[in-house]
Amino acid sequence: MGNNLATRKSAIFVTFVLGLIGITCLIIGIQSKADRNQKKSSYQTTVGTIIGSESNSKKSSQINHTRGKTRAPIYRYEVNGQTYTIKDKIFTNSNIEIGKEVKIYYNPANPQDAFADTPAHLGNLLILLAVLFLSITALVITMNIPISDAKKTIFEGLIVCVMFIGFPIALMRMLPDLVLILKILLSIMILIGVYAGALLIYKVFFKQDFQPNQGDINTKVSDFVANVESNPTIQNVMRWVRIAGMIVPIVVLIIYVGVMVFSIRNGPTERITKSDDGRTILTEDIIAYSLNQKTSDVPKHFVCERTVVAISGNQVYFEATPGLEYSCITNEHFDIGEKVLWVEYYENEKNMVVSENEYVYTGDKTPASTSLFDKDGKCIINDAFVKRYFHTSSWEVISVEFVKMEGNKLHFKEKEGSSYALTIPQELGRYYENAKAGDEYYYFRFDDSAYALDADEYVYYD
């Protein structure tokens, strides 16, 4: 009697805890999804690109030294000519496809407030988790309420099918790029659920010997229930169904551990080497690891040294360097005057920026070793440069002379006399403060904008 009472109390406690977790997840998930849908109705959209990923380690967002962690994709997108980056809030063991395009919803009043249009968002995942916990709760309740074994058989079978079939299918639809090992494990769960469901249907509905000409319907139902309750085969099946339902959390935990082990063994590796002064040597392994790629697959790049000249929020500005962007958005903390290592990717990937207080580069992939610069150190302007630097393939270039700068407006003229005025963002004015009248520039005209590059730092090859 005492053991039965203790068992019943344990079942009530488990039911209460699991039900509370499930209801909490459901409420938060519905609220999160409603908030997301409301933002979708008022936000504008643009096309973003996956440029990298971030581990859930609390270390540097550009380089992580924790292996086997789940990762979240980083997206880059443009609004009104300004480039922004955001990181997904969901960390998973999915394969992250660099260069993949996704729809981005952004706040017109604050373009940095944005999110990617993916099914794997907080609301959906919490609702899915709520269904799992509430299913387990329903299973525990069904096992402990005073109803006939026949009804228990049906209810428990349906619940197990929901957990073993519905949960993995929903998860794979939300995360279509899951790593292969996780897809295999989820597929095994589905097969178990299908087998259990088919066996349940067969045992309950098809293996009974119905006699349609004997007795009324009530008698037939009573006989059917009696046969189900006394059938040792069905009782054995239901015992395994109960066991299967109770071990779902353990199965999920095993899947997670298996995926973590698979990620550690098969994911990108990061070999760290220290210099004599204790700084980490920036190697191909570290660069590849920051992109969640193997070293053999790291994109073409070069490394150069730059100096921080200004900081505005998470926008960091650097001294003018031929062929490189003036600034970047980063969550890293830098000080004005601090020297950094800038990793530039030929294919317009996300730039890696790390402090020289922590890293040192000893490799040979410097600007001088690339075909992007001539023997005098000038950046070569050609079609490839324009596509990489300006992100366009439609343009016109004119050789002009600098006249003067008024506020944030630059004035140029051609030798034949034609004049041009270029309005620049106020924060870029510092890069033209030392320009003198008569200095030669290349004036680029695009469909809806213009740009000027100093001929002392650039050379144009038609």
Side-chain angles (χ1 to χ4, degrees), residues 391-403:
H391 319 303
T392 184
S393 58
S394 176
W395 50 281
E396 178 186 5
V397 61
I398 305 167
S399 181
V400 298
E401 293 181 355
F402 181 78
V403 177

Side-chain angles (χ1 to χ4, degrees), residues 174-382:
M174 286 186 195
L175 301 170
D177 298 322
L178 285 171
V179 293
L180 179 60
I181 184 65
L182 187 51
K183 286 184 177 179
I184 293 174
L185 292 173
L186 290 174
S187 298
I188 292 174
M189 286 185 64
I190 294 173
L191 292 176
I192 293 174
V194 171
Y195 175 76
L199 187 62
L200 176 68
I201 293 172
Y202 173 72
K203 292 292 185 181
V204 173
F205 296 103
F206 295 102
K207 204 174 179 182
Q208 303 303 320
D209 184 18
F210 291 101
Q211 301 295 331
N213 296 321
Q214 295 181 7
D216 59 19
I217 186 66
N218 293 328
T219 303
K220 295 175 183 178
V221 171
S222 299
D223 292 342
F224 169 72
V225 172
N227 287 333
V228 170
E229 290 177 345
S230 62
N231 191 315
T233 303
I234 291 182
Q235 297 303 320
N236 188 49
V237 170
M238 289 314 305
R239 182 171 65 88
W240 285 106
V241 168
R242 293 189 186 98
I243 294 174
M246 295 301 293
I247 66 172
V248 166
I250 299 175
V251 172
V252 174
L253 179 61
I254 292 174
I255 290 174
Y256 179 76
V257 173
V259 171
M260 294 293 288
V261 172
F262 179 83
S263 299
I264 293 173
R265 291 189 175 185
N266 298 278
T269 57
E270 179 189 39
R271 301 175 183 86
I272 300 174
T273 306
K274 296 288 186 177
S275 63
D276 293 339
D277 57 7
R279 290 183 292 173
T280 299
I281 297 177
L282 186 62
T283 62
E284 298 290 291
D285 290 323
I286 293 177
I287 294 173
Y289 190 82
S290 71
L291 296 172
N292 195 28
Q293 296 180 351
K294 295 182 179 180
T295 304
S296 59
D297 298 328
V298 69
K300 197 175 181 182
H301 63 277
F302 63 89
V303 182
C304 60
E305 180 186 278
R306 306 188 74 177
T307 303
V308 178
V309 296
I311 300 173
S312 176
N314 63 346
Q315 188 91 24
V316 180
Y317 295 86
F318 305 90
E319 89 294 346
T321 305
L324 302 183
E325 301 283 354
Y326 288 118
S327 66
C328 71
I329 297 175
T330 176
N331 293 324
E332 298 298 315
H333 175 74
F334 297 111
D335 297 319
I336 295 177
E338 184 174 355
K339 291 187 178 300
V340 302
L341 294 174
W342 175 291
V343 181
E344 178 74 6
Y345 301 102
Y346 286 50
E347 299 300 326
N348 206 27
E349 308 261 354
K350 180 179 184 294
N351 299 312
M352 178 194 296
V353 184
V354 293
S355 173
E356 281 198 340
N357 295 330
E358 300 178 10
Y359 294 87
V360 59
Y361 183 68
T362 59
D364 59 357
K365 292 186 177 179
T366 61
S369 67
T370 71
S371 60
L372 304 179
F373 299 84
D374 68 3
K375 59 182 179 59
D376 298 322
K378 291 185 178 183
C379 182
I380 298 173
I381 300 174
N382 52 24

